[in-house]
Amino acid sequence: MSKTRWKIIFDMCLNISASGAPIAVLQLIIYPYLASHISSEEYGLMITLYSLWIVISNSLGNVLNNIRLLRNTEYEKEGLKGDFPFLLRDFMIINFIVIFIGTVFYIKKFNIIYIVFSLIISMLILLKAYCEVGFRIKLDYISILINGILQCFGFVFGLIFFYFTRVWQFIFLFGFLLNTIFTILKTGMLKESFVRTRIYKNVSKDAGIYTLATFSGNLMTYADKMVLYPLMGGHIVSIYYTATILGKIISMISGPVTGVILSYISKWSNGQKKIFSKILIVGVILAVIGYGITMVISYPVINILFPQWKDEVMIYLPITTIAIAIQTLNSFLNPFILKFYDMKWQVIIGMASVAVYFVMALILWNFYGMIGFCIGTVLGQLSKTLIMVFLHFVWSSRELKCVFF
């Protein structure tokens, strides 16, 4: 195996550890503790607000992160600097408005404590998601690992504050505060000057298109909680989220692996599109293995972590885990679509799959309740897979034939 391949595998392991450690602390320690110390309604609200922050703030930060990464070679080659401070400012304003409205909507009252915490935490999430591109550009996954460890300490420190104050927001505040400060200081991403370059319009256009694609993609992952909360209340959100928690832990490798893949393929040429088939096969195998592992360990683990909800959770877990397995497969395929195909496909794929998800989930929920909602989630994820496979194997081949004939 070549030195480059070993380096890619090593970086993937570092990135998996960096992302996996905070997820493990949050879902295996923090969430079970909170579930036994706050009501199921409040727990459901917490999960819903966290989903709001990830869908909006993390999406906006990751858009800037990925666009910066994909465009970095062009900026360096042309000796250009700037543009992104303007985009970051605009995204911060959008984030403030949407998070404010979303928080008030879910808490159903003007609670200044909830609103202030929500705005601050969401801002930290956005800044961390964007500034981390400084590590990815340099392929500095050691610093990303340190970042993940700091987040673990932050979550635990916040849990101590919760113990004395009973304010669960401190957990997320300190969790994202420590690693955001480290990222900003280490990368220096916020020191850039407000200068518009000659490619600003193209970059901002890409950012706008990719925002729609990323937003719709994250909706597939987190909107289930955001939709269920107003429909059925916090208790159902608590049960549903617990039914997905093991699958998310098993699939936590997908996000870090995707990040490393995109970091490397941002430097590749179109001649390497053929690797899509290999990634598809590997992704299917990992999704099947992840599903099997989840189903084997689910009952004993849920019985230990969330004994109060185990009977309700086990009803939905087999279906929710299928959705997560397909989502894991999609996360492996998406970086190749992002790199090798026009940005418009990100929007088409995202919007089409979200439409299938919402229509099917709500229709089936109306007839079959939560089971129907879970099946609709599976269909939404599956539609995304089929569109990406169709694009690569059918549509792109048709375009090539048009070019040559």
Side-chain angles (χ1 to χ4, degrees), residues 113-133:
I113 295 177
Y114 272 82
I115 293 171
V116 170
F117 268 115
S118 191
L119 290 172
I120 293 174
I121 293 169
S122 67
M123 178 190 70
L124 292 173
I125 292 173
L126 194 159
L127 287 173
K128 182 257 182 185
Y130 166 60
C131 292
E132 206 167 50
V133 73

Side-chain angles (χ1 to χ4, degrees), residues 27-207:
Q27 301 199 9
L28 298 180
I29 299 175
I30 304 296
Y31 283 170
Y33 182 84
L34 289 176
S36 62
H37 287 79
I38 61 178
S39 68
S40 60
E41 284 295 323
E42 183 68 12
Y43 185 87
L45 176 61
M46 178 195 72
I47 295 299
T48 302
L49 288 178
Y50 182 73
S51 299
L52 176 68
W53 301 332
I54 297 300
V55 168
I56 304 301
S57 310
N58 199 58
S59 293
L60 293 175
N62 277 329
V63 165
L64 294 181
N65 185 306
N66 288 328
I67 294 295
R68 179 67 178 264
L69 184 64
L70 291 169
R71 287 277 192 169
N72 188 65
T73 302
E74 182 178 1
Y75 274 89
E76 290 184 346
K77 184 177 180 180
E78 300 293 333
L80 303 175
K81 292 183 179 180
D83 296 337
F84 285 90
F86 291 101
L87 295 174
L88 178 61
R89 179 200 62 191
D90 294 343
F91 277 28
M92 292 285 282
I93 294 172
I94 294 170
N95 179 75
F96 182 92
I97 295 171
V98 177
I99 294 297
F100 177 84
I101 295 172
T103 302
V104 173
F105 172 78
Y106 284 117
I107 64 177
K108 297 181 175 63
K109 56 185 176 181
F110 194 87
N111 186 316
I112 191 65
I113 295 177
Y114 272 82
I115 293 171
V116 170
F117 268 115
S118 191
L119 290 172
I120 293 174
I121 293 169
S122 67
M123 178 190 70
L124 292 173
I125 292 173
L126 194 159
L127 287 173
K128 182 257 182 185
Y130 166 60
C131 292
E132 206 167 50
V133 73
F135 298 138
R136 296 177 68 193
I137 289 173
K138 299 177 181 178
L139 301 178
D140 182 9
Y141 287 96
I142 296 292
S143 293
I144 292 178
L145 176 60
I146 295 173
N147 219 10
I149 294 172
L150 286 174
Q151 189 168 31
C152 293
F153 282 117
F155 284 146
V156 173
F157 192 58
L159 187 62
I160 295 172
F161 266 73
F162 169 79
Y163 179 81
F164 291 105
T165 66
R166 286 299 183 263
V167 178
W168 56 261
Q169 286 91 339
F170 277 121
I171 295 170
F172 298 101
L173 177 66
F174 287 109
F176 288 102
L177 180 63
L178 293 183
N179 64 358
T180 301
I181 291 174
F182 173 78
T183 305
I184 291 173
L185 294 178
K186 182 75 172 177
T187 63
M189 295 297 294
L190 298 187
K191 294 181 180 180
E192 295 180 327
S193 302
F194 280 80
V195 177
R196 283 189 173 92
T197 71
R198 59 179 180 77
I199 63 173
Y200 172 76
K201 289 185 177 179
N202 290 333
V203 172
S204 86
K205 179 182 177 182
D206 283 351

Side-chain angles (χ1 to χ4, degrees), residues 215-216 219-220 222-224 226-228 231 350-365 373 376-377 379-380 383:
F215 177 70
S216 58
L219 274 179
M220 291 286 292
Y222 294 95
D224 42 13
M226 297 168 64
V227 171
L228 282 175
L231 283 177
M351 292 300 184
S353 55
V354 165
V356 172
Y357 159 67
F358 272 109
V359 171
M360 297 308 299
L362 292 177
I363 290 176
L364 292 174
W365 169 76
F373 187 91
T377 304
L379 295 176
S383 68

